[in-house]
């Protein structure tokens, strides 16, 4: 499971790097775009896993949906802001 999670995270990171110049040219902030991209991807992956079969937690259970979303959100947002700060010119 961890390897699959890492593979998809890396793959979606490559997709984000590929689409990022489009948003950068229009003056969008990377963290904002990344947060919307992450929410969209979380929904896509959640649906894909739910359709893949019953070998997982019940991905249609509201507790699993809310818990999974919130754990990813509260991990990803601070991580994105930390990376942004570390890569800034004054960080």
């Amino acid at each position: 499971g961890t390897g699959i999670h890492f593979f998809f995270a890396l793959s979606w990171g490559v997709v984000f790097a590929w689409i990022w110049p489009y948003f950068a040219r229009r003056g969008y902030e990377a963290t904002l775009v990344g947060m919307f991209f992450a929410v969209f991807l979380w929904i896509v992956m959640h649906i894909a896993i739910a359709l893949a079969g019953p070998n997982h937690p019940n991905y249609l259970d509201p507790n699993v949906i809310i818990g999974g979303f919130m754990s990813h959100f509260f991990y990803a947002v601070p991580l994105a802001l930390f990376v942004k700060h570390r890569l800034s010119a004054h960080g």
Side-chain angles (χ1 to χ4, degrees):
T2 301
I4 293 169
H5 204 117
F6 181 78
F7 170 77
F8 277 101
L10 185 62
S11 299
W12 287 122
V14 169
V15 171
F16 183 80
W18 182 66
I19 67 169
W20 170 242
Y22 171 83
F23 293 101
R25 285 190 300 270
R26 284 154 182 78
Y28 288 98
E29 208 281 324
T31 308
L32 179 65
V33 175
M35 286 172 55
F36 282 102
F37 185 68
V39 169
F40 171 75
L41 291 182
W42 187 87
I43 293 168
V44 167
M45 294 305 295
H46 189 89
I47 292 169
I49 292 168
L51 293 174
N55 301 2
H56 331 297
N58 180 2
Y59 270 51
L60 302 177
D61 178 359
N63 291 322
V64 173
I65 294 170
I66 294 168
F69 178 81
M70 295 308 283
S71 66
H72 279 78
F73 184 77
F74 282 104
Y75 172 75
V77 171
L79 179 62
L81 294 174
F82 174 76
V83 169
K84 177 183 173 185
H85 174 73
R86 296 292 294 187
L87 294 176
S88 70
H90 53 76

